[in-house]
Structures are given as C-alpha cells and as structure tokens.
C-alpha cells in the first residue's frame, strides 16, 4: 500500500538548518551535573524513610556503581554515535526502530517529569520560606517552566553557560556546608554516633535497603543527559567522556558529603520525609548565613535541573521528528537561534499540565521508572554493540574497560530497582508499563510506515559481524 511521504521541514531556502557545534567539556559537565545535583537537595532522603539512614548510605554507593556503569557505557557508545537524542541514536543504529522509539519516549518522560519535580520543589521552597498564609506554589511553577523554556528557545550555548554558573554555585554551597560543621570532629556539631545506632541503623532490615533503591536513584538520576547534546559538542570523542566521567566523580563526592551532614544532624524518621534536607541541615547548624545559602542553593539546583531537562527532552523529541518516528514538523530548527524550537514549545504545556496535577512523589517515581527502563536497555545495547562491531572494526572515541562486567552489574541493579519500585508504587509501575506497551503497538501498526530506515544510519560503519 502506498503511503504519502511527509514533507521534510526546512528553515532557509529549502536547505536544512543544523544544530550548532558550540559546546565543550565544561558544558557537558554543566548539563549532566546540573540535571542531577537537585537530587542532593531533595529526593535521595526519601530512601531513609524506606530503610533508615544506613540504607540511604548503602544505596548511595551501590546506586553510584549503577550510574558509574551507565557513564562508562554511555561514554563509549555516544562518543562513537555522536548524534542528538543520545541513547535514542544509539538504539536506532544498534538495535532497531521499535527499541529506538521506546528509548526516546523513556528519555522524554524521564526528563519532563524530572523538570516537573524541579518546578514543584522550587515553588514549595519559596512558599515555605515566605511563610505567607494563602500563598500557593502554582505561579512559581508556571514562571519557572515558561522562563526556562524561553531560555532554551534562545540558544543552547547561553542555556548551558547559565547552567554552568548556577550549578557551580549550588555545588560550592554543599562544600561550604560540609566544612562549616567540623566534619572531622563528631560531637562538635554533627551527632552521627547518636542518630545512627545499631538499634536504628536498619529499622526494616535488608528489605528496607532494597526498598530504598527507588529513591536512591535520585542521587544521580539524569547524568546520562550529557549525551543528548552530542550533536552540539565541538569534539564528541573528547568532550563527552571527559564531561560525563568528571560529572560522575563530582556527584559521588557531593552525595557522600550530603548524606554525612544530613544523617548527622537529623534523625532518620525526619530525614526520610522532609522535602528540604540540605536547607534543613543549614537551619540546624544555627547559622543564618548557612541557612540562607542553602535556601538559595536549593532554588538554583532546581533551576539548573529543570533547565537541563528541557534541553534534553526537546533533543529527544526533535530526533524522533527528524527520523519520521513522529511527524517531521517537530524536526524544525530555528533559523536564528539554531534550536529545536517546535519540540521545546510542544513539550511546554505538557510539563505545565503534569506540574499542576501530579504530586512530587508521583512525578519523581514516573521519572525514575522511565530512567531505569532506559538503563536496562543500555546494558543490552552495549552487548550488541560490542558483538556487532568488535574492538578494532570501527573507530571509537572512548573504550570503556572491564567489559562485559559494567553491563552485567547495570542490568542486575536495574532489576533490583524495578522490584523496589514495585514495593512502593506497584500500581503506578504496572500502569506505566501498560502505557509504554500500548504506545509501542501504535508505533508498530501505524507510525512505522513513515520511517525511512535507510536515511537513519549516518555512521560510516562496515556491515555488522554475522550479518
């Protein structure tokens, strides 16, 4: 059956306008760390509610291993497949259309719901600080999402320059807090020995540790977002691995400092339910300067994360349009700002709608589940990549060590995380899996007819081994 071809959207005189290659390693770092750092200011601490303070520490390091595997695998594949869409572009070249379509959806929903969580956090933080009766967070949520969408509309270089500055300020605030509470002298300010005792270290046993995986993901969720700007990086083979791995090291240090300070100042019962663990830690030091610094840093971390999420979600949506997985209308690049402006504008009302109907726990869970589905794919993807194109057959920008151990570790930890999500949000997990299944059927039976597979493969690779 003949199918009418969709027109390719052009911007100037029939020639397709491309994205600009203007980013370096610092921008990659700012994109990855900027998206994630808000997880140190809220989210990770809900793992203490699931399993206690010690469980929050255990998942900090075990989930850190999961994300180190993600960073290593991503650095190899994306420095080799340097295209907008990151993991979507990987799936398109290595696995196939249906997997690529689903991976792009995982990316869009992971980042959009993380953006929603950031906006809710920022609004709630301002309302809590103001202490004005009747003041709601709705106007702050709307202003945050709209202003950041406008910033992304105007250009990626400006967007990530802003992210670099505000992310650096937020990170420095954690370092200042850490060294301000005499961390080397227990009892002076910190009370870890009193708050975490053998009797309450693991109040729900090891099942509590497993349950804590759900929110332990929040320590690092989004570091894989560095790959979304692959097509706008000047030297992908250098900038992507350096920026991603430097970002992962940065986050591991921040996560350890955050847990140590917060667990030493708050009992786990309170730590597990507060929305502002670092801001509360600043208050508990008794220093007005630290309290205000951590308040400002919480706002900046939420802004940096939401800003990066808009950037990444739009690139994934843009890539789907460019390859005809969605209407090509979404693939337009702004003739002046060179941004995927239609994708940015399309996702704007979706983010606003979710921000007003979802609560913070639901938004975080939606984002986490979409992210873990994507990580599970990555463990399979790297195995197929190494099998189809072994070392030496194609030029790689970076080769991660210890293969296949990182892929195995990543897959196993993703399975544990799925179980943890089922324990806490089983109905939401089932509903989301059903949603992705139904949308896959739609793609297979309707949208796939528009896909031109031969146009998708942009890499000059030899025929895969065994084919």
């Amino acid at each position: 059956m003949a199918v009418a071809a969709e027109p390719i959207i052009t911007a100037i005189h029939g020639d397709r306008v491309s994205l600009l290659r203007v980013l370096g390693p610092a921008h990659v770092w700012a994109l990855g760390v900027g998206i994630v750092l808000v997880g140190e200011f809220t989210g990770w601490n809900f793992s203490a509610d699931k399993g206690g303070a010690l469980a929050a520490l255990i998942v900090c390091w075990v989930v850190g291993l999961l994300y180190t595997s993600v960073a290593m695998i991503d650095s190899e594949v994306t420095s080799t497949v340097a295209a907008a869409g990151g993991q979507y572009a990987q799936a398109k070249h290595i696995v196939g259309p249906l997997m690529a379509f689903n991976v792009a959806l995982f990316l869009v929903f992971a980042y959009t719901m993380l953006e929603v969580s950031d906006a809710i956090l920022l609004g709630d933080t301002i309302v809590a600080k103001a202490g004005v009766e009747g003041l709601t967070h709705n106007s702050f949520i709307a202003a945050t999402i709209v202003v950041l969408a406008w910033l992304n509309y105007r250009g990626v270089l400006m967007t990530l320059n802003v992210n670099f500055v505000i992310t650096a300020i937020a990170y420095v605030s954690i370092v200042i807090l850490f060294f301000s509470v005499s961390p080397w002298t227990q009892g002076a300010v910190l009370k870890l020995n009193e708050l975490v005792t053998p009797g309450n270290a693991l109040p729900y046993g090891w099942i509590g540790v497993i349950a804590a995986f759900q929110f332990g993901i929040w320590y690092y969720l989004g570091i894989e977002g560095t790959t979304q700007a692959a097509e706008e990086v000047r030297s992908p083979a250098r900038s992507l691995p350096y920026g991603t791995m430097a970002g992962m090291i940065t986050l591991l240090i921040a996560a350890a400092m955050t847990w140590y300070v917060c667990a030493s100042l708050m009992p786990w019962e309170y730590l597990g339910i507060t929305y502002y663990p670092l801001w509360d830690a600043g208050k508990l030091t008794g220093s007005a300067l630290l309290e205000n610094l951590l308040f400002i840093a919480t706002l900046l971390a939420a802004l940096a994360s939401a800003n990066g999420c808009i950037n990444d979600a739009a690139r994934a949506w843009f890539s789907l349009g460019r390859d005809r997985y969605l209407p090509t209308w979404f693939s337009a690049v702004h003739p002046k700002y060179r941004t995927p402006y239609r994708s940015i504008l399309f996702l704007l009302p979706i983010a606003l709608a979710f921000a007003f109907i979802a609560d913070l726990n639901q938004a975080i869970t939606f984002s986490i589940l979409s992210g873990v589905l994507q990580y599970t794919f990555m463990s399979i993807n790297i195995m197929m990549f190494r099998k189809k194109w072994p070392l030496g057959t194609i030029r790689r920008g970076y080769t991660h060590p210890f293969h296949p151990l990182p892929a195995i570790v990543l897959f196993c930890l993703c399975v544990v995380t799925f179980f943890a999500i089922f324990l806490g949000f089983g109905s939401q997990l089932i509903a989301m899996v059903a949603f992705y299944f139904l949308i896959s059927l739609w793609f297979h039976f309707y949208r796939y007819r528009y896909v031109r597979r031969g146009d998708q493969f942009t890499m000059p690779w030899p025929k895969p081994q065994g084919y």
Side-chain angles (χ1 to χ4, degrees):
M1 180 177 66
V3 178
E6 292 189 357
I8 293 288
I9 300 299
T10 56
I12 301 176
H13 306 306
D15 294 325
R16 196 170 186 77
V17 178
S18 62
L19 302 173
L20 285 174
R21 289 194 177 275
V22 293
L23 306 179
H27 298 105
V28 175
W29 177 91
L31 179 58
V33 176
I35 289 175
V36 182
L37 195 62
V38 69
E40 319 308 328
F41 288 85
T42 192
W44 71 268
N45 55 298
F46 299 145
S47 60
D49 183 52
K50 297 290 185 179
L54 186 57
L57 177 62
I58 293 170
V59 298
C60 172
W61 290 109
V62 177
V63 173
L65 182 60
L66 182 157
Y67 275 92
T68 300
S69 300
V70 166
M72 292 167 63
I73 292 169
D74 241 4
S75 293
E76 173 172 334
V77 184
T78 307
S79 63
T80 309
V81 188
Q87 291 81 10
Y88 157 76
Q90 299 171 22
K92 179 180 69 175
H93 283 84
I94 299 167
V95 184
L98 183 58
M99 177 63 81
F101 176 75
N102 275 281
V103 167
L105 288 185
F106 300 158
L107 290 167
V108 170
F109 280 106
Y111 293 127
T112 300
M113 297 310 295
L114 180 50
E115 172 196 350
V116 166
S117 302
D118 296 329
I120 294 173
L121 170 66
L122 185 141
D124 286 346
T125 304
I126 293 175
V127 169
K129 179 69 171 178
V132 177
E133 186 176 353
L135 182 65
T136 67
H137 65 196
N138 290 347
S139 58
F140 300 109
I141 290 174
T144 298
I145 293 175
V146 171
V147 170
L148 292 179
W150 171 83
L151 184 63
N152 276 268
Y153 183 99
R154 292 294 300 270
V156 67
L157 184 61
M158 177 172 64
T159 297
L160 294 188
N161 280 336
V162 170
N163 245 42
F164 181 83
V165 173
I166 61 180
T167 299
I169 294 172
Y171 190 86
V172 168
S173 74
I174 298 177
V175 177
I176 292 173
L177 174 65
F178 181 77
F179 285 104
S180 297
V181 294
S182 303
W184 47 83
T185 308
Q186 274 290 322
V189 179
L190 305 181
K191 311 290 183 182
L192 186 64
N193 292 337
E194 298 176 17
L195 295 174
V196 182
T197 65
N200 69 13
L202 294 176
Y204 306 121
W206 287 101
I207 191 66
V209 175
I210 294 174
F213 268 76
Q214 176 182 355
F215 292 108
I217 294 288
W218 208 244
Y219 279 114
Y220 313 102
L221 179 65
I223 185 61
E224 72 283 356
T226 55
T227 64
Q228 298 304 308
E231 203 167 311
E232 295 158 282
V233 174
R234 290 190 295 269
S235 176
R238 173 178 174 270
S239 297
L240 290 172
Y242 283 177
T244 302
M245 297 308 292
M248 194 62 219
I249 293 169
T250 302
L251 292 169
L252 286 166
I253 295 170
M257 290 191 297
T258 298
W259 179 88
Y260 182 65
V261 172
C262 291
S264 298
L265 289 172
M266 289 170 264
W268 69 269
E269 295 92 341
Y270 178 78
L271 178 61
I273 61 172
T274 179
Y275 282 168
Y276 323 103
L278 279 172
W279 184 24
D280 283 345
K283 293 177 184 178
L284 290 170
T285 65
S287 167
L289 179 61
L290 286 176
E291 177 184 344
N292 290 324
L293 174 63
L294 271 298
F295 165 73
I296 294 171
T298 301
L299 299 183
L300 292 179
L303 283 172
S305 180
N307 195 28
C309 286
I310 294 171
N311 179 93
D312 286 356
R315 267 67 185 171
W317 201 257
F318 158 82
S319 298
L320 284 172
R322 184 170 61 178
D323 292 330
R324 299 173 178 270
Y325 287 54
L326 290 175
T328 53
W329 186 86
F330 293 113
S331 67
V333 176
H334 197 284
K336 179 179 179 181
Y337 303 124
R338 307 286 282 275
T339 56
Y341 69 105
R342 287 181 181 168
S343 293
I344 293 170
L345 294 177
F346 176 79
L347 293 173
L348 173 61
I350 296 175
L352 287 170
F354 275 111
F356 291 130
I357 64 175
D359 65 31
L360 186 57
N361 275 340
Q362 289 175 328
I364 289 176
T365 301
F366 201 154
S367 180
I368 288 172
L369 179 57
S370 297
V372 177
L373 284 167
Q374 175 203 154
Y375 307 147
T376 307
F377 146 75
M378 289 172 60
S379 63
I380 300 169
N381 183 62
I382 187 62
M383 294 290 218
M384 295 182 66
F385 185 50
R386 286 288 187 99
K387 181 179 179 181
K388 289 183 174 182
W389 292 281
L391 297 182
T393 58
I394 60 173
R395 184 179 179 276
R396 285 165 161 80
Y398 167 82
T399 302
H400 81 272
F402 311 121
H403 180 79
L405 186 58
I408 296 170
V409 169
L410 176 57
F411 184 84
C412 292
L413 292 179
C414 284
V415 171
V416 174
T417 307
F418 279 124
F419 180 63
I421 296 173
F422 179 77
L423 291 177
F425 290 83
S427 58
Q428 189 170 344
L429 172 63
I430 294 170
M432 287 183 62
V433 170
F435 164 76
Y436 284 122
F437 176 74
L438 291 175
I439 204 72
S440 295
L441 292 177
W442 171 84
F443 175 77
H444 177 76
F445 288 107
Y446 173 71
R447 190 66 208 176
Y448 183 71
R449 73 183 76 173
Y450 295 105
V451 175
R452 294 178 179 176
R453 292 207 64 190
D455 294 342
Q456 298 176 43
F457 299 98
T458 58
M459 303 306 300
W461 294 347
K463 189 175 181 179
Q465 290 200 7
Y467 290 82

